[in-house]
Amino acid sequence: MTDWLRSVRDAVGGTRSLVSTWQARAAARPVTPAPAGLDVDLALSHDLDELAERVARVLEDGTLHASNPSYHGLFVPPAHEAGVVADLLAATFNPQLGATWHAPAATEIERSTLRYLGALIGFAGPRVHAAFTSGGSEANFSAVTTALARAFPDALRDGLPRAGRPVMIASAHAHDSFVKIARQTGLGERAVLRVAADEQQRMDVGAARRCIARARARGERPFALVATAGTTATGAIDPLHDLAELARREDLWLHVDAAWGGIAALHRGLRTWLEGIELADSVTWDAHKTLPIPVGTGMIFTRERRWVERAFAVQTGYVPAADADDAYRTSVQWSRRFAGLKVFMTLAQLGAGGIEDMVARQLATADELRRRLRARGWAIRNRTPLPLVCFSRQDLDAEAAAAHVVDSGRAWISSVQLPEGPRWLRACITHPQTGSEHIEALLEALPS
Ligand SMILES: *Cc1c(COP(=O)(O)O)cnc(C)c1O
């Protein structure tokens, strides 16, 4: 073995030990941060070993620990060792993925990873375009930008004000990144027309149809229908087939935001819940929310790459030999980090079977939580096949109950305010090691 490969192996060994020691430690300490007197100063130390130790100490005290299996929170799984090793390698080589010729190996690793995951949601074939993004927000931004480019090609040159009043239709439960996107694109917040949901927080298709008709009657120009597969608050999956049919009839771009709900594609038994997603024009899916991977790996899948090219392609005088596929010509980013390596290496190390087992365990744990909450007099409020449990009790204020749990340091949960009014407690099983003992700890930390 060359010295070079020996140092790769040493780095892997050191990183694995760092990750496993840290995760054992995180599991044994309070979930919540205790940031009293955090000592953060650029003059911490000039010695790298000492500097790293000081940073580790500051992070340990000042972080909400999603690496603890009692964190039942906002789609932040712990990082599996493969992803940490991948980030180290990516940072060491520092390939620039903006142009294919600049990083051919890294580009191919990303493309094959995206082909694999795209196939799970019916996005396969030469016309499909897929890219890693910083997260779901950037992926949703790409989708809206691409849908605008399809519907209003002149606006790419002349600006949106010349396009009349473009509007998009989304459920009341759609992610609020669309509000920011409406501001950023210059559409304005009022261009997001919110549609009521049914009693299971799924978009009401009839209400969506009426919303489109009313918008047209007002002289507005609907261009996109946004469905959510796995809402952030309650894990609801909108009726994708019916919405695809509506979008087709109304000539609207159908975007499916499956930032977290994409987890269903990783489990054979859950995949049927995503049926209809293959009819979308674009899909958002966050690897970092659905797999144990460090943050920074959203994904955007687009059915027809020509619209992506229309939205993003530019000519430059300074990037040599442009390839039509170069990422800077087909996505929001220009300089591009090798984010996909952590997805590739995590999938490769765990294997499809290992991933499916992990999701199965999360589902079983969520079922156990539902059962034991009911046995203690709590009402389960949401209906979803995904491992997200919303619950409440008549006599308890949900916000105060969540604060009670968080203050105990024994578990982390949150409360959600629904657009329809009620506030519920929310526990999402995101840690692959969460099991009966952590459910027990949560039940004990809840007010009695
Ligand atoms: C988290 C989330 C997003 C935003 O994704 P980021 O990776 O945090 O940018 C978008 N949509 C849904 C449904 C989400 O749950």
Side-chain angles (χ1 to χ4, degrees):
M1 199 188 301
T2 61
D3 287 352
W4 157 236
L5 289 181
R6 197 163 300 117
S7 24
V8 171
R9 201 166 267 214
D10 288 349
V12 172
T15 306
R16 291 182 99 155
S17 136
L18 174 73
V19 173
S20 65
T21 314
W22 162 244
Q23 290 190 349
R25 192 171 165 83
R29 52 155 296 144
V31 191
T32 41
L38 284 182
D39 177 16
V40 183
D41 188 330
L42 267 182
L44 270 176
S45 171
H46 297 302
D47 176 79
L48 185 56
D49 287 326
E50 192 185 310
L51 186 56
E53 279 170 36
R54 298 276 293 273
V55 168
R57 228 171 296 149
V58 167
L59 289 178
E60 177 165 9
D61 290 341
T63 303
L64 176 59
H65 294 301
S67 300
N68 185 312
S70 280
Y71 171 82
H72 313 298
L74 301 165
F75 312 141
V76 188
H80 182 70
E81 60 184 17
V84 185
V85 169
D87 262 358
L88 188 68
L89 288 171
T92 303
F93 283 86
N94 202 27
Q96 153 62 297
L97 278 75
T100 307
W101 54 266
H102 209 293
T107 300
E108 188 45 39
I109 287 175
E110 288 208 337
R111 286 190 184 149
S112 72
T113 308
L114 291 165
R115 274 197 299 271
Y116 172 79
L117 292 171
L120 297 180
I121 53 167
F123 276 65
R127 278 151 67 179
V128 166
H129 180 268
F132 283 103
T133 63
S134 57
S137 299
E138 185 197 320
N140 286 342
F141 180 86
S142 306
V144 172
T145 309
T146 307
L148 281 170
R150 172 188 167 267
F152 307 106
D154 293 345
L156 294 169
R157 191 190 52 238
D158 300 334
L160 269 180
R162 301 279 292 277
R165 278 181 294 152
V167 291
M168 52 183 155
I169 290 84
S171 144
H173 288 258
H175 193 263
D176 290 306
S177 54
F178 290 101
V179 174
K180 298 205 311 192
I181 291 163
R183 292 177 190 158
Q184 290 158 359
T185 49
L187 287 168
E189 275 180 50
R190 284 167 63 186
V192 185
L193 305 184
R194 298 280 196 162
V195 171
D198 65 14
E199 73 291 343
Q200 289 182 39
Q201 299 90 47
R202 298 170 303 196
M203 194 196 282
D204 181 322
V205 182
R209 187 178 303 114
R210 292 190 293 278
C211 176
I212 295 164
R214 277 197 308 269
R216 292 201 201 282
R218 286 193 301 266
E220 295 170 350
R221 303 181 68 187
F223 69 97
L225 181 59
V226 174
T228 310
T231 59
T232 316
T234 72
I237 299 172
D238 287 340
L240 303 179
H241 262 293
D242 294 350
L243 290 171
E245 175 58 25
L246 178 60
R248 198 188 54 76
R249 236 179 338 186
E250 298 281 349
D251 190 29
L252 302 180
W253 183 278
L254 177 67
H255 177 65
V256 176
D257 180 358
W260 176 65
I263 194 171
L266 299 170
H267 185 278
R268 249 168 301 172
L270 279 183
R271 220 168 278 159
T272 56
W273 288 92
L274 293 182
E275 269 172 21
I277 201 170
E278 72 285 354
L279 302 171
D281 293 292
S282 55
V283 171
T284 286
W285 179 3
D286 271 352
H288 66 219
K289 284 182 172 176
T290 55
L291 286 162
I293 288 175
V295 174
T297 49
M299 300 179 283
I300 177 72
F301 298 90
T302 310
R303 172 74 48 211
E304 296 279 348
R305 57 168 50 247
R306 60 189 165 132
W307 306 128
V308 175
E309 284 160 18
R310 181 187 278 182
F312 296 110
V314 283
Q315 298 296 340
T316 81
Y318 41 82
V319 181
D323 175 332
D325 264 359
D326 282 348
Y328 80 93
R329 305 181 80 244
T330 52
S331 64
V332 174
Q333 296 179 29
W334 200 289
S335 296
R336 173 176 284 277
R337 190 177 190 276
F338 191 10
L341 183 60
K342 47 193 164 186
V343 184
F344 175 81
M345 287 184 71
T346 304
L347 288 171
Q349 194 194 357
L350 295 175
I355 303 272
E356 192 163 80
D357 289 349
M358 210 164 59
V359 176
R361 188 176 156 95
Q362 286 168 243
L363 295 179
T365 305
D367 279 341
E368 177 180 345
L369 176 60
R370 291 185 185 103
R371 217 167 40 241
R372 294 179 66 181
L373 280 168
R374 278 200 193 96
R376 291 194 177 208
W378 294 89
I380 306 301
R381 300 297 184 183
N382 65 331
R383 292 243 313 264
T384 175
L386 306 174
L388 194 167
V389 185
C390 293
F391 57 104
S392 70
R393 231 172 55 191
Q394 214 84 60
D395 59 322
L396 280 177
D397 174 67
E399 200 170 5
H404 185 82
V405 172
V406 171
D407 288 345
S408 77
R410 299 184 61 191
W412 196 91
I413 60 170
S414 54
S415 69
V416 290
Q417 173 79 62
L418 269 67
E420 294 84 3
R423 185 181 275 279
W424 297 334
L425 287 156
R426 175 188 182 283
C428 185
I429 309 299
T430 55
H431 196 301
Q433 259 83 51
T434 302
S436 296
E437 67 273 34
H438 310 104
I439 298 302
E440 181 69 31
L442 169 59
L443 293 170
E444 280 175 15
L446 283 164
S448 49

